[in-house]
Amino acid sequence: MQERRLPGRRPLLLAVGAGVTVAALAAGMTSAFAATVFSDDFNDGDTSGWSKSGGTWTVGSGVLNQSNAGSELARQFAGQTSWTDYSVQARVRPVSFGSSSALVGLAARSTSSTKMYRLALLGSGRAELQAVNGSSITAIGSASLGVSTGTWYTLRIETSGSTIRGFVNGTQIASGSNSLAGAGRIGLVTAYASGGFDDVLVDSSGGGTPTTPPTTPPPTTP
């Protein structure tokens, strides 16, 4: 571990006991089906269901944008603080980086505005899965991707117990054990950078379920 300092679909949040959508999982997930508990493509033109902390956020052309590249930390949070094991995925587009350590990323299990697991695209061109606790940042793992501004990347974080995994464009770039947070909300994050976010999806495929699982068994192949 390395210590560092640093008209469309509205948000859908399903309560316990409500009907759930069963969808086939993407590659790399361990279950055959997933319960979708939250989604937002911003085509409705607003941030209903989200709460802001820092930054300048606007919705345009179905994309949530954070345009203040001078903001030390800009975040949008959604979901429930009680969510434990889940997968969160979003398309993320860096627009500008103020430095090599500036970032645009995705967060899971956020227990406060400064405590979370974060999958960050860095100005240095790397992608890094981090455990963030205030100014203390622990790198769980990273990969050199040659991150480019203006390019869309699909980020995904999977949480299952103390196991945290990070994926970029469907490829796992980091996996490790960390006990920083056992539950928490999702987040969209920038730090001294600007960027865009779209197609946010949360499901129960991270190894557990934040809602009641489907009562109907999945179909079997003859």
Side-chain angles (χ1 to χ4, degrees), residues 66-71 74 96-98 102-104 190-195:
Q66 198 295 105
S67 58
N68 185 357
S71 178
S96 68
F97 291 110
L103 65 90
V104 178
T190 69
Y192 294 116
S194 60

Side-chain angles (χ1 to χ4, degrees), residues 7-12 39-46 59 62 198-199:
R9 189 171 67 226
R10 299 186 68 84
L12 172 65
S39 65
D40 200 352
D41 60 11
F42 304 107
N43 284 340
D44 53 16
D46 62 40
V59 177
D198 200 3
D199 297 330

